[in-house]
């Protein structure tokens, strides 16, 4: 990814990261996502009055000075099943991006709530009503919201020579459809990592995965070798745990099941690299290296990591972005808990990494596209600022009990994610096809034969892709 002198190459992890999993995660009422109720008017939010700490004011002022332009229309309308722009919880502060938007442009964000289940139908209704909703979350909207006419290209509203947009140009190019940009991608962030307990590693005479990674030896083969040596269910020794193992493991091949190429949708389910990744996961299951959740009422057993009874757990960093009183009860003592990137597929030409994309869509009939794009620039500027990264690091150390070593590894995972990010876009196909693919790609790690699964879904996937590309060509 090309960064200029004015933009720090390392990505900042701000407290505004509550928006990071918007691209494709289910709603959750416990985390402020709307599941059951929906409204069709702007919501008046009881906003937490806490704002930036005094030491952050200079940072915001400097970032504001780096932004350009003015806005006549200062209000933009956000529609989603979650709202990261109006913090309500105790101790939560207004995101730096919102502070920038307010300080530089006098901007204001109105929130139009919906639910996870109804988000697309509600958006369609709002567009037809002429409400002028401006932006909407998620990579899951590409390409389906493009061909349905619910989103529009933002190319005419931005300057690709602007250093901010240059810094994310390659990321945005990943989602070109029919020669135009539709997904406003602000940052690629690390997806899942591999957790382990160093005490367990040491007691079993294994090399620390961190050392293996730093020596270029943290590969899929080494990962499997360690699991093979450790697992012994009769002795209560289990291998790989987690609900989200399949995707980060197969994306290490660099080949998603569905991707975009030259503005068109491509199915890769018959690709040899993808096939190899599926077979690797089948072999993990066949050798008993994946914990059988059916034996535990279909629940993960993360606490086994801390008890020395489980070797690896694949999950997001959110697992330990909370009070250490919580995460040490599962993963173990602070000094023993660590994580490393998903292992490298040494048969791939690069170290590809599963990426979460902080991304948004410009809605059809937007009442303020210029304001929306200016806010995207505020988000990008806040992500790539060095001071913002330091503020985030302080929060991780103070609130989450992280060590400097953890912060260094987090930045390393972020670095390799930004070098070669991979994201599967099958969720942007029709609901039926997306469900078919989702089920298929999870079959091998559960013991399903990939070749049989692949042959059974290929005709329907190919038909869907053909139809979608026909609709793209007709745009």
């Amino acid at each position: 990814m090309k960064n200029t002198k004015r933009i720090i190459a390392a990505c900042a992890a701000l407290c505004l990261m509550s928006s990071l999993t918007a691209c494709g995660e289910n709603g959750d009422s416990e985390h402020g996502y709307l599941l059951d109720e929906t409204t069709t008017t702007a919501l008046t939010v009881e906003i937490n009055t806490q704002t930036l700490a005094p030491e952050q004011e200079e940072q915001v002022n400097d970032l504001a000075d780096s932004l350009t332009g003015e806005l006549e229309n200062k209000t933009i309308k956000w529609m989603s099943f979650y709202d990261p722009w109006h913090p309500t919880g105790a101790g939560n502060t207004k995101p730096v991006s919102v502070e920038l938007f307010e300080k530089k442009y006098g901007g204001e964000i109105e929130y139009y709530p919906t639910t996870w289940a109804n988000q697309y139908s509600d958006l369609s209704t709002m567009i037809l009503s002429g409400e002028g909703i401006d932006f909407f979350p998620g990579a899951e909207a590409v390409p389906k919201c493009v061909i349905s006419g619910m989103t529009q290209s933002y190319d005419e509203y931005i300057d690709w020579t602007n250093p901010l947009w240059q810094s994310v140009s390659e990321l945005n190019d990943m989602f070109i459809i029919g020669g135009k940009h539709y997904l406003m991608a602000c940052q690629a962030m690390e997806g899942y990592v591999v957790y382990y307990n160093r005490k367990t590693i040491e007691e079993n005479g294994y090399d620390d995965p961190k050392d293996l990674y730093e020596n270029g030896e943290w590969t899929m083969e080494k990962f499997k070798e360690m699991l093979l040596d450790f697992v012994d269910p009769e002795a209560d020794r289990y291998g790989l745990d987690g609900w989200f193992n399949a995707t980060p493991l197969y994306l290490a091949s660099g080949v998603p099941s569905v991707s975009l190429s030259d503005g068109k949708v491509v199915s890769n389910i018959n690709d040899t690299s993808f096939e190899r990744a599926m077979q690797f996961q089948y072999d993990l299951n066949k050798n008993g290296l994946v914990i059988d959740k059916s034996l535990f009422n279909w629940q993960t057993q993360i606490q086994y990591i801390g008890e020395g009874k489980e070797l690896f757990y694949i999950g997001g960093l959110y697992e330990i972005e909370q009070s250490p009183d919580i995460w040490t009860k599962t993963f173990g003592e602070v000094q023993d808990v660590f994580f490393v990137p998903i292992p490298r597929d040494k048969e791939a030409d690069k170290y590809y990494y599963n990426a979460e994309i902080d991304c948004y869509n410009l809605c059809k009939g937007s009442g303020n596209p210029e304001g929306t794009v200016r806010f995207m620039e505020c988000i990008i500027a806040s992500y790539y600022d060095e001071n913002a990264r330091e503020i985030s690091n302080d929060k991780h150390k103070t609130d989450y009990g992280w060590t400097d070593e953890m912060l260094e590894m987090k930045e390393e995972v972020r670095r390799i994610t930004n070098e070669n990010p991979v994201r599967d876009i099958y969720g942007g196909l029709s609901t039926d096809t997306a469900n078919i693919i989702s089920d298929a790609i999870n079959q091998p790690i559960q013991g399903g034969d990939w070749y049989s699964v692949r042959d059974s879904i290929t005709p329907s996937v190919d038909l869907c892709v053909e139809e979608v590309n026909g609709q793209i060509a007709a745009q």
Side-chain angles (χ1 to χ4, degrees), residues 206-238:
Y206 303 143
D207 292 328
D208 190 322
K210 182 197 176 189
D211 295 336
L212 291 171
Y213 171 75
E214 291 176 344
N215 294 330
E217 299 171 354
W218 183 234
T219 64
M220 290 291 178
E221 289 71 18
K222 188 64 178 180
F223 177 73
K224 182 179 178 181
E225 174 188 316
M226 293 174 70
L227 287 167
L228 282 167
D229 186 78
F230 181 82
V231 171
D232 183 358
E234 293 184 1
D236 286 337
R237 292 160 61 95
Y238 302 94

Side-chain angles (χ1 to χ4, degrees), residues 453-471:
V453 172
R454 178 197 64 191
D455 292 346
S456 68
I457 70 170
T458 295
S460 59
V461 173
D462 287 349
L463 178 60
C464 178
V465 168
E466 182 180 355
E467 291 176 347
V468 168
N469 283 332
Q471 292 170 312

Side-chain angles (χ1 to χ4, degrees), residues 282-343:
Y282 173 77
D283 289 342
L284 291 181
N285 183 282
K286 183 178 66 175
N287 285 282
L289 307 183
V290 182
I291 191 169
D292 184 355
K293 297 185 187 65
S294 69
L295 302 176
F296 303 96
N297 197 29
W298 297 104
Q299 298 294 319
T300 58
Q301 302 299 308
I302 311 177
Q303 75 280 0
Y304 281 1
I305 292 286
E307 296 173 10
K309 294 160 56 176
E310 190 170 82
L311 194 59
F312 296 132
Y313 175 89
I314 292 180
L317 288 178
Y318 54 77
E319 301 277 6
I320 57 174
E321 288 178 328
Q322 53 187 324
S323 170
D325 292 339
I326 297 174
W327 61 262
T328 53
K329 291 179 180 178
T330 53
F331 290 107
E333 298 297 326
V334 172
Q335 67 270 17
D336 296 326
V337 179
F338 207 63
F339 59 88
V340 286
I342 299 296

Side-chain angles (χ1 to χ4, degrees), residues 246-257 274 277 281 352-355 420 422-424:
T247 297
L249 288 175
Y250 78 72
L251 288 182
S253 70
V255 182
S257 66
F274 188 78
Q281 297 192 43
Y352 293 101
Y353 212 80
N354 67 108
N420 300 297
V422 187
R423 185 173 177 86
D424 207 317

Side-chain angles (χ1 to χ4, degrees), residues 249-458:
L249 288 175
Y250 78 72
L251 288 182
S253 70
V255 182
S257 66
V258 179
S259 59
L260 286 165
S261 179
D262 297 326
K264 296 181 179 180
V265 178
V266 178
S267 169
N268 301 309
I269 61 174
N270 286 283
D271 184 277
T272 55
S273 294
F274 188 78
E275 177 183 289
R276 183 184 70 249
M278 291 291 103
Q279 188 61 37
F280 176 83
Q281 297 192 43
Y282 173 77
D283 289 342
L284 291 181
N285 183 282
K286 183 178 66 175
N287 285 282
L289 307 183
V290 182
I291 191 169
D292 184 355
K293 297 185 187 65
S294 69
L295 302 176
F296 303 96
N297 197 29
W298 297 104
Q299 298 294 319
T300 58
Q301 302 299 308
I302 311 177
Q303 75 280 0
Y304 281 1
I305 292 286
E307 296 173 10
K309 294 160 56 176
E310 190 170 82
L311 194 59
F312 296 132
Y313 175 89
I314 292 180
L317 288 178
Y318 54 77
E319 301 277 6
I320 57 174
E321 288 178 328
Q322 53 187 324
S323 170
D325 292 339
I326 297 174
W327 61 262
T328 53
K329 291 179 180 178
T330 53
F331 290 107
E333 298 297 326
V334 172
Q335 67 270 17
D336 296 326
V337 179
F338 207 63
F339 59 88
V340 286
I342 299 296
R344 175 175 57 87
D345 180 348
K346 68 178 184 180
E347 295 192 47
D349 61 333
K350 299 177 182 178
Y351 199 153
Y352 293 101
Y353 212 80
N354 67 108
E356 293 293 340
I357 311 294
D358 186 23
C359 50
Y360 308 89
N361 300 275
L362 182 64
C363 299
K364 192 74 170 181
S366 165
N368 191 1
E370 291 87 356
T372 302
V373 169
R374 296 294 84 76
F375 182 53
M376 294 299 106
E377 292 170 359
C378 291
I379 295 175
I380 297 169
S382 66
Y383 276 145
Y384 287 84
D385 179 70
E386 184 176 15
N387 292 327
R389 186 172 67 254
E390 293 177 359
I391 292 168
S392 172
N393 288 345
D394 288 342
K395 180 178 179 65
H396 279 72
K397 293 173 71 173
T398 302
D399 296 347
Y400 306 146
W402 282 34
T403 64
D404 287 335
E405 191 180 24
M406 286 177 170
L407 291 170
E408 290 170 2
M409 183 56 72
K410 176 180 168 66
E411 288 301 317
E412 179 62 12
V413 176
R414 187 178 298 278
R415 181 189 68 78
I416 62 175
T417 301
N418 274 268
E419 284 186 355
N420 300 297
V422 187
R423 185 173 177 86
D424 207 317
I425 68 158
Y426 69 82
L429 301 178
S430 69
T431 300
D432 288 345
T433 303
N435 288 339
I436 288 172
I437 296 176
S438 178
D439 179 68
I441 60 180
N442 282 283
Q443 286 298 311
I445 205 164
Q446 298 170 7
D449 174 63
W450 170 245
Y451 301 103
S452 298
V453 172
R454 178 197 64 191
D455 292 346
S456 68
I457 70 170
T458 295

Side-chain angles (χ1 to χ4, degrees), residues 69-319:
E70 297 180 356
L71 283 178
E72 182 176 343
N73 182 354
K74 302 182 185 304
T75 301
I76 58 176
K77 298 179 179 181
W78 161 252
M79 183 173 182
S80 180
F81 55 90
Y82 74 108
D83 182 23
W85 318 123
H86 303 95
T88 56
N92 289 332
T93 58
K94 192 182 300 180
V96 173
S97 56
V98 176
E99 291 278 0
L100 280 173
F101 191 52
E102 293 174 349
K103 183 176 292 289
K104 177 65 178 182
Y105 302 108
E108 179 183 0
I109 304 171
E110 290 185 359
Y111 176 40
Y112 288 69
T114 181
T115 67
W116 171 262
N118 297 328
Q119 56 182 320
Y120 296 111
S121 59
D122 287 348
L123 177 59
S124 178
T125 299
M126 297 298 272
I127 291 172
L128 291 173
S129 72
E131 179 63 36
I133 299 297
D134 294 301
F135 66 128
F136 185 78
E140 302 295 331
V142 175
K144 60 187 175 187
C145 285
V146 176
I147 60 181
S148 66
M150 288 196 286
T151 60
Q152 60 178 310
S153 171
Y154 56 92
D155 283 327
E156 64 180 290
Y157 303 107
I158 74 165
D159 176 8
W160 284 108
T161 66
N162 182 323
L164 287 171
W165 287 105
Q166 284 184 350
S167 72
V168 292
S169 62
E170 292 183 15
L171 185 63
N172 279 262
D173 287 349
M174 288 173 57
F175 302 100
I176 288 177
I177 296 179
K180 298 180 180 179
H181 293 92
Y182 286 89
L183 194 69
M184 297 181 287
C186 299
Q187 185 189 30
M189 296 165 290
E190 72 282 344
Y192 296 102
V193 297
V194 179
Y195 287 95
Y196 63 98
N197 187 290
R198 280 175 156 162
K199 185 177 180 181
T200 304
I201 294 295
E202 183 178 358
E203 288 178 346
N204 285 274
Y206 303 143
D207 292 328
D208 190 322
K210 182 197 176 189
D211 295 336
L212 291 171
Y213 171 75
E214 291 176 344
N215 294 330
E217 299 171 354
W218 183 234
T219 64
M220 290 291 178
E221 289 71 18
K222 188 64 178 180
F223 177 73
K224 182 179 178 181
E225 174 188 316
M226 293 174 70
L227 287 167
L228 282 167
D229 186 78
F230 181 82
V231 171
D232 183 358
E234 293 184 1
D236 286 337
R237 292 160 61 95
Y238 302 94
L240 175 62
D241 201 353
W243 279 112
F244 307 106
N245 299 325
T247 297
L249 288 175
Y250 78 72
L251 288 182
S253 70
V255 182
S257 66
V258 179
S259 59
L260 286 165
S261 179
D262 297 326
K264 296 181 179 180
V265 178
V266 178
S267 169
N268 301 309
I269 61 174
N270 286 283
D271 184 277
T272 55
S273 294
F274 188 78
E275 177 183 289
R276 183 184 70 249
M278 291 291 103
Q279 188 61 37
F280 176 83
Q281 297 192 43
Y282 173 77
D283 289 342
L284 291 181
N285 183 282
K286 183 178 66 175
N287 285 282
L289 307 183
V290 182
I291 191 169
D292 184 355
K293 297 185 187 65
S294 69
L295 302 176
F296 303 96
N297 197 29
W298 297 104
Q299 298 294 319
T300 58
Q301 302 299 308
I302 311 177
Q303 75 280 0
Y304 281 1
I305 292 286
E307 296 173 10
K309 294 160 56 176
E310 190 170 82
L311 194 59
F312 296 132
Y313 175 89
I314 292 180
L317 288 178
Y318 54 77
E319 301 277 6

